[in-house]
Structures are given as structure tokens and as C-alpha cells.
Amino acid sequence: MHYSNVPDTRVRVLRDETPRPDGDFVLYWMTAARRLSWNFALDRAVEWARELDKPLVIFEPLRAGYRWASERHHQSIIDGMGDKAGRLEGACVTYYPYVEPEPGAATGLLAALAGHAACVIADDSPTFFLPRLLEAGRKAVLCRMEAVDGVGMLPLSVPGRSFSAAYHFRRYLHKELPAHLGPRPSPDPLAAVALRSLEGLPAEVIARWPAARLLEGGSGRSSLDGLASIPIDHTVGAVPWIGGETEARRRLQSFLETDLARYAEDRNHPDLSVVSALSPALHYGHISAHEIFHGLTEQEGWTPARITLPHNGRRKGWWGMSESAEGFIDQLVTWRELGHGYCHAQPDFRSYDTLPEWAVQTLEDHAGDPRPWLYSLEQFEAAATHDEIWNAAQRQLVEQGVIHNYLRMLWGKKILEWSAHPREALDTMVVLNNRYAIDGRDPNSWSGIMWVMGRFDRGWPERAVFGKVRSMSSDSTRRKVRIDRYLGRWGSQPELV
Ligand SMILES: Cc1cc2nc3c(=O)[nH]c(=O)nc-3n(C[C@H](O)[C@H](O)[C@H](O)COP(=O)(O)OP(=O)(O)OC[C@H]3O[C@@H](n4cnc5c(N)ncnc54)[C@H](O)[C@@H]3O)c2cc1C
């Protein structure tokens, strides 16, 4: 019987076989939790390698043929690969980063590698092409295979359903989460272990699928030999944000030390920039929610004994932390895991028809309302609307791959208001968000976009176009939030079309 420190609630056995005694190594197929610390899947792989007394291979592939594949997303993942390669120098594991030179080139690679493995550990992740990839992997792998969930603080398998609003989920978390705060992934799973080393990866595998040639790119960046010739969208270029665990941890420290204290009061002001900016690192799996939560609780000197009853879904006061820390956890845990859980429980989460009934009804009732302005995808993409704040947000998205959270809500609400039909608005948001945002193509992408259309929200007083769905206006944004410096940077450029 396998003894494990990784909770059973986080492990899905995809192939229930005894590990192959003649396998050459344990294989960790790293596709979502792209990090070497605070990673339950890596913990599990290390446990198996120790128990079987086998070497460990960490295989991190990057495909070319998925929707919205661009230099921007590739660069972020390549930064992370370079970071890992550096951190693993001299370590007791074999790291095999692989970047597809063209779509489909990796076909057969997992099967070939797994053919030499005793067992395979994979990442469980609820969105984008990852569930399909995992299912294809399950068919290709013929030995024991497990998928491990390292997504959030609450294991995805625990609720067994989705929630219609943050309030309901918060109430649920108040009851259930404390029991799951104990088991944590290891901060440094490779530090204290001595694993058997591998002579080399199988020759026929490495000959056909050579490891990525990663080069030092300066200032924490990595570059990939041959990136320019991979047929991905090179018009969506790299952004200043640097991927990888080292940079993510640096960002976390700086947030905790300088910004967290002002989070409750100032998080909505684009000019003050006190948010964590960790969503891309979370998206690429370069940092885990556990590590962030741990940093926060250390800083607060917090222990679970400070949790206060009753479990009534209150946003403030339940954790027994500072107001800013509680506000931040509400985003990191309640909102983030509300959306991840939704995608896990509702595989058709992308569909307009999965919006709450009241939202579809009211949006359809108002679908024929005259729009004050009407724009096409191309006009939105070119930041060519009449609205200075909207254009500024879109320019920041295209150039830097991010939009401040408050403006992101406005950005979505205005696309809903200025599109011919809510379904068209949904398509426009999905395309622009996922093409340009470095945290795009994430369960949170669908949380945010669908929230614009009414998911996780309640009805508001009825008005044109929006119906009972919550509306937002640029004028009140200008009044409510500090935005002058932001507009100075992004708002004054000439329109592009
Ligand atoms: C139209 C629209 C599209 C969005 N698309 C994305 C997306 O593609 N990827 C993405 O990660 N987020 C998306 N969001 C949610 C939110 O805007 C970002 O998570 C947040 O702005 C990230 O900035 P931060 O890391 O500084 O957040 P912080 O305020 O520092 O919060 C910490 C973490 O909590 C989580 N979080 C914060 N706000 C939300 C939220 N509203 N819903 C779910 N989780 C949240 C994120 O993981 C974030 O990194 C979208 C929101 C809207 C309205």
C-alpha cells in the first residue's frame, strides 16, 4: 500500500496499475503546476520515486498548436523553464523541458517516455485544453497514472458541485476549509531527498524530441533558440512581466512588504497600484495559492485558532486577520476558487447558456435595445472607441498583457454595452482577454467574463441594454477611482484606426 502525505482528496488515479518494477524512472508530466516548490504533484512524484527507489524525471512540455498560442505566452513559460533549469543544476532529478517546433510535433512523445516509466504523475487542472490533454495522456500511458490537484486551498474534488455566488461559496468555505488548511505541499520537496540518478533520457526519445535549448536572456529572462520560427502568433509579443518561480516569489515578497497594508483601502485605484499582480504567476503555475497564503499568514502572525464563529459567509472578520489580509484572501481564495470549482464541476462553463436563467432572460429581453455606441471586434481590438478610459485599458492590455482589476470590470461591461448582441460581446471578451492577457485562458478568465454577463452576481435595477445585469460607467469610474496618472500613461495616445 502506498503511503502518502498528499491528501487523497487531491489525487485522481487515472490508471490503477501497480507501478512497473522494471520502469527506469518515475515521470512527472508537468503541464499546469509549473514550479518546483509548494507543488503537491511534485511531492507525489518524489514520494513514488523514493518508495520505488527510482530516479525522477520532470518532463515539462510546451505545445505550439493551441488557440491563442503566441510569443507572449511562450515567453512566459520559457522564462519559467529557464528558471527551473537553473534551480535544478546539480539536483538529484532530471529536468526535460520540451518546446514543440511545430503543431503536432510532440505527438507520441508522452507515450514514448512513459514506456520507460514505472508510473506517471500528472497535473490536474480544470480548464483550457488541459482536461482534454490529460484524457489523451491517460489513453497514451500504459502504466500507473495519477493526476494531482494543486490548484487551490480547497481540493477541487471536495464540494462535488458548483456555487452560484461568492456569498454561498464563502459560507461553504467557512465550514469546510479549516479541515483542509493543515496538509500543505512542501516548500522545497527536493531539498532533503537523495534520489537515484538517471544515466540519461532514453536515446530514441531525445533523438526525436530534443530538449529545449534555453539561453540566458538577461535580467531573469530566458530565451529559446528557435522561438522565432515556431508558427505561433508573433504579433502578440512578449511583455515586461517575467515568468518563473524566482520572479513570482520576488513579487510576492514585495507585495507583502510594501502593498498589502493598503490593499483594503486602495486596491481599486489604478494610480496607486497596491494589488499583488500575481495572477499571471498563478495562471502559469509559477506560484501556488499555498505559498501566497503561507506568506500572508506568517506576516500576520496568524494561526487557525484566530478563526471566529459563526460560519455565516461574512466577508470581514471571520479569519481574524487585518482587514487588508482578509480582503486579499477573499480574492485569492473565495473568488479564485469559486471560478476554478465552477469550471471543474461544469465542463460547459464557456457557454452563454450556462449563465443564470435570470441573466439570460434579461439580456435577451434587452437584446433589441438601441446601443449608444456599436463597435466590432476589430475596433475594440484597436482601442478605437469614443471612450478615453476604455481605450486606455485596452492599450495597456495589448502592450503589457494586463489591466488593473477595477478597469477590467469596466472594460468588460462596456464591451457588453457596445456590442450588437450579448453573445457577440462574450466572443469579443474571450478573444481579446485570451489573446492578450498574460493571465488569460484561465478559470478566472471565465469567472471575470461571465461575471460581466451576470454569473456569480445578483439582479440590479433594470436599465437599457444591460437589463437587470449590473452596469458600470466611465464617468462614475472617473469620479470614484484615482486614474489621472494611468490616463497620462495610456489614455492620450492617438487612436489607431
Ligand atoms: C472581464 C474580466 C476578465 C478577467 N480575466 C481574468 C483572467 O484572464 N485571468 C485572471 O487571473 N483573472 C481575470 N479576471 C479577474 C481579475 O481581474 C484578476 O484576477 C485580477 O485583476 C488580477 O490582478 P492581481 O493579481 O493584482 O489581483 P489581486 O487583487 O492581487 O488578487 C490576488 C489574486 O486573487 C485572484 N483574484 C482577484 N480578483 C479576482 C476575481 N475577480 N475573480 C477571480 N479571482 C480573482 C487572482 O488570482 C489574483 O491574482 C478578470 C476579470 C474581469 C472582470
Side-chain angles (χ1 to χ4, degrees):
M1 186 65 150
H2 177 73
Y3 171 76
S4 167
N5 290 323
V6 177
D8 288 347
T9 46
R10 292 191 180 265
V11 180
R12 254 190 328 134
V13 179
L14 301 180
R15 271 198 172 269
D16 196 3
E17 318 267 342
T18 308
R20 269 200 304 245
D22 59 343
D24 296 330
F25 46 78
V26 168
L27 180 65
Y28 172 23
W29 179 30
M30 179 186 269
T31 55
R34 296 175 182 265
R35 59 181 177 268
L36 299 172
S37 49
W38 298 91
N39 180 348
F40 277 124
L42 180 55
D43 285 348
R44 183 74 168 185
V46 169
E47 282 167 6
W48 272 118
R50 292 178 71 181
E51 180 166 317
L52 302 171
D53 194 21
K54 303 273 184 199
L56 173 60
V57 172
I58 300 175
F59 164 49
E60 185 181 7
L62 174 55
R63 294 176 57 201
Y66 60 87
R67 195 169 178 207
W68 304 300
S70 68
E71 201 166 302
R72 181 165 298 184
H73 291 304
H74 262 54
Q75 183 59 54
S76 304
I77 292 172
I78 287 163
D79 285 340
M81 287 177 162
D83 186 46
K84 261 175 235 105
R87 297 165 79 87
L88 285 172
E89 257 171 45
C92 59
V93 299
T94 300
Y95 177 50
Y96 175 24
Y98 174 77
V99 181
E100 262 192 335
E102 60 196 43
T107 306
L109 169 53
L110 176 68
L113 206 50
H116 295 263
C119 62
V120 176
I121 307 301
D123 289 326
D124 221 349
S125 179
T127 196
F128 202 38
F129 63 74
L130 294 172
R132 274 181 284 124
L133 186 70
L134 197 59
E135 178 53 20
R138 191 185 64 77
K139 290 183 183 145
V141 169
L142 300 178
C143 59
R144 182 177 184 86
M145 184 173 184
E146 299 174 349
V148 179
D149 157 23
V151 167
M153 304 300 295
L154 185 76
L156 288 167
S157 68
V158 167
R161 64 188 168 105
S162 60
F163 293 81
S164 59
Y167 170 75
H168 300 302
F169 185 50
R170 207 178 283 115
R171 266 180 86 105
Y172 178 85
L173 285 176
H174 285 184
K175 288 207 192 82
E176 299 296 332
L177 188 60
H180 299 279
L181 293 177
R184 295 182 316 175
S186 165
D188 196 355
L190 302 173
V193 292
L195 298 177
R196 205 172 265 284
S197 62
L198 188 70
E199 289 293 304
L201 288 161
E204 82 283 4
V205 171
I206 212 73
R208 182 164 165 202
W209 294 284
R213 282 164 38 108
L214 301 163
L215 310 167
E216 174 59 50
S219 318
R221 277 242 113 107
S222 295
S223 63
L224 176 84
D225 198 15
L227 177 62
S229 60
I230 301 177
I232 52 177
D233 188 348
H234 292 279
T235 65
V236 180
V239 291
W241 183 83
I242 296 174
E245 249 169 293
T246 305
E247 279 300 318
R249 201 156 287 137
R250 208 195 311 273
R251 178 68 210 130
L252 172 62
Q253 283 317 320
S254 144
F255 170 69
L256 292 174
E257 280 160 25
T258 44
D259 303 325
L260 174 67
R262 292 182 297 137
Y263 187 84
E265 207 169 324
D266 292 338
R267 64 181 285 261
N268 282 338
H269 301 288
D271 280 357
L272 302 183
S273 155
V274 299
V275 289
S276 73
L278 283 169
S279 58
L282 281 160
H283 167 68
Y284 292 114
H286 290 160
I287 200 163
S288 79
H290 281 91
E291 178 171 1
I292 301 173
F293 184 82
H294 174 74
L296 193 78
T297 54
E298 287 276 291
Q299 174 139 327
E300 293 273 310
W302 180 88
T303 69
R306 293 203 355 217
I307 289 176
T308 55
L309 297 172
H311 308 303
N312 60 5
R314 277 179 303 152
R315 205 145 33 100
K316 292 184 185 169
W318 183 78
W319 286 97
M321 296 190 196
S322 67
E323 193 183 345
S324 278
E326 291 196 344
F328 181 72
I329 289 188
D330 202 52
Q331 300 302 323
L332 177 74
V333 182
T334 312
W335 278 97
R336 179 170 180 271
E337 298 189 22
L338 173 68
H340 282 69
Y342 190 92
C343 293
H344 176 73
Q346 308 284 350
D348 54 352
F349 56 85
R350 296 174 187 81
S351 157
Y352 177 76
D353 301 317
T354 61
L355 287 170
E357 244 176 79
W358 68 265
V360 174
Q361 182 65 54
T362 196
L363 288 172
E364 290 299 322
D365 287 348
H366 289 268
D369 291 357
R371 270 59 182 152
W373 306 89
L374 208 50
Y375 297 111
S376 64
L377 170 63
E378 291 68 29
Q379 288 169 309
F380 280 123
E381 186 164 26
T385 79
H386 64 286
D387 185 306
E388 186 190 12
I389 300 182
W390 196 92
N391 291 348
Q394 173 65 17
R395 286 191 193 107
Q396 190 195 12
L397 177 65
V398 170
E399 210 169 306
Q400 294 194 327
V402 293
I403 308 182
H404 184 279
N405 183 42
Y406 192 88
L407 298 183
R408 208 168 191 176
M409 295 190 274
L410 179 74
W411 175 87
K413 290 290 183 185
K414 291 300 167 196
I415 293 177
L416 176 58
E417 189 177 2
W418 302 332
S419 296
H421 189 276
R423 284 181 193 271
E424 188 179 308
L426 176 58
D427 290 346
T428 300
M429 280 189 276
V430 169
V431 168
L432 295 183
N433 191 81
N434 289 348
R435 181 178 292 160
Y436 292 108
I438 38 171
D439 60 8
R441 312 158 312 143
D442 188 90
N444 277 359
S445 315
W446 271 274
S447 290
I449 289 167
M450 290 302 201
W451 171 86
V452 165
M453 324 259 308
R455 183 182 287 164
F456 304 143
D457 207 357
R458 62 176 170 87
W460 290 73
E462 196 155 0
R463 55 175 60 216
V465 184
F466 290 94
K468 293 177 186 153
V469 168
R470 183 198 300 248
S471 65
M472 283 176 77
S473 98
S474 299
D475 286 346
S476 73
T477 298
R478 206 184 279 273
R479 280 196 305 275
K480 274 198 227 159
V481 302
R482 291 169 64 178
I483 200 173
D484 291 349
R485 256 190 293 141
Y486 184 86
L487 290 180
R489 168 71 178 88
W490 298 105
S492 54
Q493 299 171 19
E495 289 180 356
L496 301 175
V497 294

